Amino acid sequence: MEKRKVIFDTDPGQDDAVAILTALASPELDVLGICTVAGNIPLDLTTKNALKLVELAGRTDVPVHAGCDRPLGRALVTAEHVHGATGLDGPDLPEPAIAAGSAHGVDFLIETVRAHAPDSVTLLALGPLTNVALAFAKAPGIVTRLKALVLMGGGCFEGGNITPAAEFNIYVDPEAAAMVFRSGVAITVLPLDVTHQMLSTRARIDAFRALGNKAGAAVAAILSFSERFDVAKYGSAGAPLHDPCVTAFVLDPSIFEGRMVNVEIETGSLITRGMTVADYWGVTDRPKNAFWVRSGDADRFYQLLTERIGRLP
Ligand code: RIB
Ligand code: CA
């Protein structure tokens, strides 16, 4: 079976961590590298956390490269209130022994896509789209060379999470998101509409802990830490789990349902900055530029994640 080549662009981050660990455990995927971006926490911490994750997974063969330390044209907004001061509070992971590669993450992204056959590399974006937008601007040829961009971001029926209108990844760098959604790249969006269905209930967290391996214990600690904020906010039986929906979609898209829609990004308004205006009911004739995932099977989702995390050390 030919492995599917993927590159992560990410701001780990509690949920990013689970998404990355799941991919590193999955034999169907060839993780070509991890580019980090400022988002949940500043770039130095997202990069350190990515290094911790490849070490935890026993996958130091996967290169990590630091990308942009701020949005294209805005001040950085971070989310320590959700992810903790380190961005990976919860598990006690050792300081990484390895270092990030010397190339800038945007250049690594460009060169890696160029180095592989057209239509063979899928970009998995789990944070603000700063690196992705810059790579597309610097090397427009990779837009059509990429097989697909699968991203966590936005919301329609679920509104926003950092403001009433906007989801965090899009809110942090709306100009970058607007560039990406207008680029013509084949986009699949895993928005709050579906991630809010994937609740990390106590039973699901316990299943990770029951795996008995280091990775399972770390994921249980991560989810137990990150749930405290969202359970209080939503009053739900568990916290939404966002970024692993991207990895799960690539591994088994049958878990999810969605449709092609037009998505535009609000960049001018103070009130609705970063809103993903998804024309889900087709009331405009704007071009359908994204596959918008609206729902998914939470039990199958968690079964997949748990089985894969169980394969790690
Ligand atoms: O809104 C959720 C998204 O913002 C996730 O990617 C989370 O890691 C944060 O980056
Ligand atoms: Ca993220």
Side-chain angles (χ1 to χ4, degrees), residues 10-13 15-16 40 83 126-128 152 168-169 243:
T10 176
D11 61 338
D15 54 328
D16 305 67
N40 286 318
H83 298 268
L126 311 181
M152 191 278 141
F168 179 81
N169 287 339
D243 293 339

Side-chain angles (χ1 to χ4, degrees), residues 113 132 135-137 139-148 180 183-186:
V113 173
V132 179
F136 288 4
I142 68 170
V143 171
T144 50
R145 194 176 182 90
L146 275 170
K147 179 182 182 64
V180 170
S183 69
V185 69

Side-chain angles (χ1 to χ4, degrees), residues 57-133:
R59 292 298 311 278
T60 54
D61 59 297
V62 176
V64 172
H65 287 262
C68 296
D69 64 359
R70 74 198 65 184
L72 294 181
R74 304 224 184 210
L76 176 62
V77 172
T78 53
E80 286 89 346
H81 59 290
V82 177
H83 298 268
T86 70
L88 209 46
D89 287 20
D92 182 15
L93 300 178
E95 288 296 297
I98 57 172
S102 57
H104 189 282
V106 170
D107 295 326
F108 172 81
L109 203 167
I110 292 168
E111 293 316 314
T112 303
V113 173
R114 285 174 170 165
H116 291 269
D119 199 35
S120 69
V121 177
T122 301
L123 182 54
L124 308 182
L126 311 181
L129 293 168
T130 314
N131 288 345
V132 179

Side-chain angles (χ1 to χ4, degrees), residues 10-13 16 20 34-53 64-69 76 78 85-88 128 131:
T10 176
D11 61 338
D16 305 67
I20 293 166
I34 298 173
C35 302
T36 55
V37 67
N40 286 318
I41 49 312
L43 181 66
D44 61 326
L45 289 176
T46 61
T47 305
K48 177 187 289 190
N49 291 339
L51 295 169
K52 288 183 177 181
L53 292 169
V64 172
H65 287 262
C68 296
D69 64 359
L76 176 62
T78 53
T86 70
L88 209 46
N131 288 345

Side-chain angles (χ1 to χ4, degrees), residues 117-200:
D119 199 35
S120 69
V121 177
T122 301
L123 182 54
L124 308 182
L126 311 181
L129 293 168
T130 314
N131 288 345
V132 179
L134 214 48
F136 288 4
K138 196 170 180 183
I142 68 170
V143 171
T144 50
R145 194 176 182 90
L146 275 170
K147 179 182 182 64
L149 167 64
V150 184
L151 69 92
M152 191 278 141
C156 179
F157 301 96
E158 284 292 306
N161 58 3
I162 189 76
T163 74
E167 177 278 326
F168 179 81
N169 287 339
I170 309 300
Y171 176 81
V172 169
D173 199 340
E175 285 71 24
M179 288 168 64
V180 170
F181 276 83
R182 291 208 175 116
S183 69
V185 69
I187 297 178
T188 294
V189 184
L190 283 299
L192 298 179
D193 302 351
V194 64
T195 67
H196 279 196
Q197 297 174 14
M198 306 301 175
L199 300 182
S200 58

